[in-house]
Amino acid sequence: MEEIYQLWLAAVPSPIPENEARIYWNCKDDPTPVLDEGLRRASYLHVGSWGDEHEPENPHAGQGRCPANRLHSWLFYLGTINRYQAPVLDEELMAQLVELYHPRSSDLPADAIGLPRLESFLRQHLGLYLLTEEPRSETYR
């Protein structure tokens, strides 16, 4: 059975310590009290979903065969390259994400929100920290 992946963006209002970002990006179950509090206060946006067929043949950051997959891989790359972090959503990152979200001729059909909705969310949350985290039922607003 094919795996379905969901991309949610979490705009976290406070920085995440590097040790907790390492735990987050490595999918560990160790305690992350600062991250947990930030996620409780975060704003969320469901961007889209994809399946195994959307994965790139040669995995590279920002690649993929649908917009949500490209955003997910780029944010993972930024969160783990050089040091573990929650990337700051600034104008440069916003422009990168918008560019990656544009359809490509190699894209396969996939569930996704419209670009204006993504741009609006990103614009509203400039200066916050961006993670690819699905809201827990008690945190979603």
Side-chain angles (χ1 to χ4, degrees), residues 87-104:
V88 176
L89 179 55
D90 57 13
E91 292 281 347
E92 181 181 353
L93 179 55
M94 183 174 138
Q96 291 169 343
L97 296 175
V98 166
E99 179 61 32
L100 288 169
Y101 203 73
H102 282 284
R104 297 180 181 173

Side-chain angles (χ1 to χ4, degrees), residues 20-78:
E20 290 191 25
R22 178 184 308 274
I23 292 166
Y24 172 80
W25 290 114
N26 287 305
C27 301
K28 301 291 185 190
D29 289 330
D30 297 340
T32 55
V34 174
L35 173 62
D36 292 344
E37 178 58 28
L39 290 172
R40 274 191 282 284
R41 296 175 32 229
S43 295
Y44 293 88
L45 175 70
H46 183 257
V47 177
S49 62
W50 69 93
D52 293 330
E53 73 274 11
H54 295 93
E55 296 293 330
E57 292 178 21
N58 299 312
H60 295 287
Q63 298 301 310
R65 298 181 73 188
C66 73
N69 181 267
R70 286 192 292 275
L71 264 57
H72 183 271
S73 69
W74 186 245
L75 288 169
F76 179 84
Y77 171 78
L78 293 176

